């Protein structure tokens, strides 16, 4: 699949709702990462059904879709976005399967680079407004990010942090980067923040911090040039 096709069909995989049943509006954790900065920090939103402007038309978007979640971010004060319709969207959500995000905030699609999303660690398998596939579920992590097409195919990797700690033990953070298909590898040279401290990951993708104090809660996150920032993860002293 070429990068252009990937961008034009930004996909999510999943389970079909019963015929005639309106999908529920789950709460999902959503983050929007632009070309050079995070445009919307991770935030829990409810992916409700919406009606969105597409040119001079207004088109329906089903609840529990990635586009419904993006619209919820916008309604909560997040960045505006623009759409293009490769089909014929109407006030019926079933007609909005070919809606395509062309811009979020200041960042527009350019040639093979542009907006893609992941549910969890994968670029999924139906359009962002397509209600016929797997819908968002409560607790899903949805990342909208500006894809920079790679010479090897697909987009840059997205980072995931896994904190590990025990009573009186140092906080150990493992950082891995995932490609479009959810294949991960250890990431060296990532900057990890935990509370007010920072550390770089070693060749095995790990960074260490002093033990957490009792009742302390720290937000752990990782960044690395050329990759998509991780979701922040809260860590509490054991």
């Amino acid at each position: 699949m070429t990068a252009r096709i990937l961008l034009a069909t930004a996909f999510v995989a999943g389970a079909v709702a019963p015929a005639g049943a309106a999908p529920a509006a789950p709460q999902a954790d959503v983050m929007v990462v632009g070309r050079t900065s995070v445009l919307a920090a991770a935030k829990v939103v409810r992916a409700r059904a919406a009606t969105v402007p597409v040119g001079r038309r207004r088109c329906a978007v089903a609840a529990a879709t990635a586009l419904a979640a993006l619209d919820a971010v916008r309604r909560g004060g997040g960045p505006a976005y623009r759409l293009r319709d490769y089909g014929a969207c109407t006030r019926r959500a079933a007609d909005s399967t070919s809606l395509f995000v062309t811009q979020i905030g200041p960042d527009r699609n350019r040639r093979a680079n542009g907006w893609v999303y992941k549910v969890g660690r994968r670029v999924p398998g139906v359009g962002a407004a397509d209600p016929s596939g797997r819908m968002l579920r409560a607790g899903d992590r949805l990342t909208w990010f500006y894809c920079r097409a790679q010479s090897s195919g697909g987009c840059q990797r997205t980072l995931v942090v896994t904190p590990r700690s025990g009573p009186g033990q140092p906080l150990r953070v493992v950082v891995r980067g995932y490609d479009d298909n959810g294949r991960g590898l250890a990431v060296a040279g990532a900057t990890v923040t935990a509370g007010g401290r920072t550390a770089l990951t070693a060749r095995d993708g790990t960074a260490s911090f002093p033990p957490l104090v009792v009742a302390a809660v720290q937000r752990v996150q990782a960044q690395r040039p050329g990759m998509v920032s991780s979701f922040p993860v809260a860590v509490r002293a054991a």
Side-chain angles (χ1 to χ4, degrees), residues 54-199:
V54 185
R56 296 183 179 181
R57 289 175 291 164
R58 298 205 48 96
C59 299
V61 173
T65 59
L67 186 55
L70 179 63
D71 193 66
V73 171
R74 178 195 61 81
R75 293 196 308 269
Y81 62 87
R82 292 189 178 186
L83 298 167
R84 180 174 177 180
D85 185 17
Y86 285 88
C89 66
T90 68
R91 295 299 181 106
R92 294 177 63 248
D95 296 330
S96 297
T97 59
S98 297
L99 290 180
F100 174 50
V101 174
T102 61
Q103 180 176 352
I104 301 178
D107 298 335
R108 298 181 180 181
N109 295 354
R110 303 285 186 185
R111 298 184 178 88
N113 301 325
W115 288 99
V116 172
Y117 69 90
K118 280 186 175 181
V119 177
R121 298 171 180 176
R122 296 174 180 268
V123 172
V126 293
D130 191 338
S132 68
R134 186 247 199 221
M135 311 298 275
L136 292 175
R137 303 186 183 108
D140 274 342
R141 283 181 176 167
L142 171 65
T143 308
W144 277 95
F145 68 99
Y146 193 89
C147 170
R148 296 181 181 275
Q150 306 295 291
S151 58
S152 57
C155 304
Q156 71 272 38
R157 291 178 181 266
T158 53
L159 299 179
V160 173
V161 294
T162 304
R164 298 171 180 169
S165 64
Q169 298 297 313
L171 170 63
R172 181 171 176 266
V173 181
V174 179
V175 180
R176 294 180 65 83
Y178 290 86
D179 67 12
D180 294 352
N181 296 312
R183 294 187 293 257
L185 51 73
V187 175
T191 300
V192 181
T193 58
R197 297 184 174 94
T198 62

